[in-house]
């Protein structure tokens, strides 16, 4: 497909047809991801592919358990917010169990230029936090890789959902990766999930802002 057509076809896919995503296709997606630019060429990504339904279900259960634990505490302070959080997990996280493939995107911390230098000269926490968290080049690099992965997947006829709404349960998911899948990578942390499969028809996508609203010439 032409690049522009792939970009325009891409939308979040949360319902999938049954069927496998062959290894060659997954490797095409990962190869595209690996071609992305990254700060200092750190290539701070690693993709863990899960096809085993029992593992996916265990992950979903761990997210649900964490969600319930948080909801129980939240109920004591704000019932409406607690119920919203519970519903959000149901609608926008746990659907990944129905995807033929779940890819866990692992990343590692990138220390931005100027961070250690600021530290050396005794910069305050706000300045350090601003550089490390708000402008985070490591996550910018990872986003570029995930988008490449995503677009190649669409080009091959698949649909994806990029999920970070399970990140509050990341420790539990990393534990499953370690104990049930034997996967552990020094210095890497779970950053996102990608559910992948052939899309079911008629999935809605929200409107995008017009160019005039996201562009300023000065
Ligand atoms: C970093 C990131 C995290 C996201 N996390 C979730 C998620 O946890 N659950 C979900 O259903 N969608 C998630 N999405 C998908 C967004 O909701 C979606 O991209 C947005 O609503 C625009 O819709 P579109 O992708 O169909 O254009 C995420 C997207 C991005 C880029």
């Amino acid at each position: 497909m032409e690049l522009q057509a792939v970009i325009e076809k891409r939308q979040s896919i949360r319902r999938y047809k049954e069927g496998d995503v062959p290894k060659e296709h997954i490797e095409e997606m990962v190869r595209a991801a690996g071609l992305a630019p990254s700060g200092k060429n750190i290539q701070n990504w690693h993709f863990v592919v899960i096809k085993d339904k029992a593992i996916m279900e265990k992950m979903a259960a761990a997210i649900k358990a964490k969600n319930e634990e948080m909801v129980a505490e939240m109920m004591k302070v704000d019932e409406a917010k607690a119920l919203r959080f519970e519903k959000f997990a149901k609608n926008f996280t746990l659907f990944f169990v129905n995807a033929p493939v779940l890819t866990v995107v692992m990343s590692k911390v990138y220390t931005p230029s100027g961070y250690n230098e600021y530290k050396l000269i005794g910069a305050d926490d706000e300045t350090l936090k601003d550089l490390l968290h708000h402008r985070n080049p490591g996550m910018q690099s990872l986003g570029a890789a995930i988008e490449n992965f995503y677009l190649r997947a669409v080009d091959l006829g698949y649909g994806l959902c990029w999920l970070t709404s399970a990140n509050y349960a990341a420790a539990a998911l990393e534990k499953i990766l370690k104990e049930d899948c034997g996967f552990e990578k020094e210095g890497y942390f779970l950053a996102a999930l990608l559910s992948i499969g052939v899309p079911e028809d008629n999935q809605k996508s929200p409107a995008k802002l017009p160019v005039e609203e996201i562009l300023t010439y000065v």
Side-chain angles (χ1 to χ4, degrees):
M1 242 190 279
E2 202 205 323
L3 177 63
Q4 187 60 23
V6 175
I7 292 172
E8 285 180 24
K9 191 162 187 247
R10 188 218 60 79
Q11 65 166 117
S12 291
I13 294 298
R14 300 181 179 89
R15 286 181 290 112
Y16 311 88
K17 292 187 171 146
E18 284 197 13
D20 190 28
V21 181
K23 214 172 156 204
E24 311 83 69
H25 284 172
I26 289 171
E27 283 164 20
E28 283 283 310
M29 296 169 208
V30 173
R31 199 179 107 72
L35 292 173
S38 58
K40 293 182 188 154
N41 196 29
I42 183 176
Q43 301 180 60
N44 56 326
W45 41 70
H46 193 91
F47 299 88
V48 184
V49 173
I50 300 167
K51 288 188 178 184
D52 184 336
K53 281 286 158 195
I55 298 290
M56 286 189 211
E57 275 159 17
K58 193 162 182 180
M59 286 186 154
I63 296 164
K64 201 161 173 278
K66 190 72 194 168
N67 183 275
E68 279 167 6
E69 186 187 313
M70 290 167 72
V71 166
E73 285 306 304
M74 287 173 76
M75 287 297 255
K76 296 176 195 164
V77 278
D78 191 326
E79 194 175 327
K81 279 188 183 152
L83 295 174
R84 222 168 26 242
F85 187 53
E86 189 179 37
K87 194 168 161 204
F88 186 79
K90 276 198 192 113
N91 294 340
F92 291 99
T93 309
L94 301 171
F95 64 87
F96 71 73
V97 284
N98 298 317
V101 171
L102 179 70
T103 300
V104 180
V105 185
M106 308 291 296
S107 189
K108 62 180 169 179
V109 171
Y110 170 96
T111 307
S113 307
Y115 182 81
N116 286 328
E117 293 77 4
Y118 259 143
K119 252 184 134 170
L120 193 70
I121 59 175
D124 57 65
D125 282 352
E126 271 310 303
T127 305
L128 293 170
K129 206 170 91 184
D130 176 80
L131 198 55
L132 191 61
H133 299 300
H134 301 168
R135 305 175 203 278
N136 196 306
M139 288 301 106
Q140 293 186 39
S141 302
L142 191 69
I146 295 175
E147 184 67 359
N148 272 11
F149 184 111
Y150 208 150
L151 295 178
R152 188 70 183 111
V154 172
D155 194 26
L156 289 165
Y158 301 102
L160 247 87
C161 192
W162 179 339
L163 295 109
T164 55
S165 62
N167 284 4
Y168 60 86
L173 302 184
E174 286 165 355
K175 190 163 179 269
I176 294 170
L177 281 181
K178 185 178 169 188
E179 292 176 3
D180 297 72
C181 311
F183 175 84
E184 198 179 13
K185 197 165 163 68
E186 178 74 26
Y188 280 71
F189 58 87
L190 183 151
L193 304 176
L194 306 172
S195 50
I196 313 171
V198 175
E200 284 279 13
D201 296 338
N202 299 326
Q203 304 202 33
K204 287 198 188 116
S205 195
K208 299 297 187 286
L209 298 171
V211 170
E212 313 81 70
E213 216 175 301
I214 59 169
L215 170 70
T216 304
Y217 291 104
V218 292

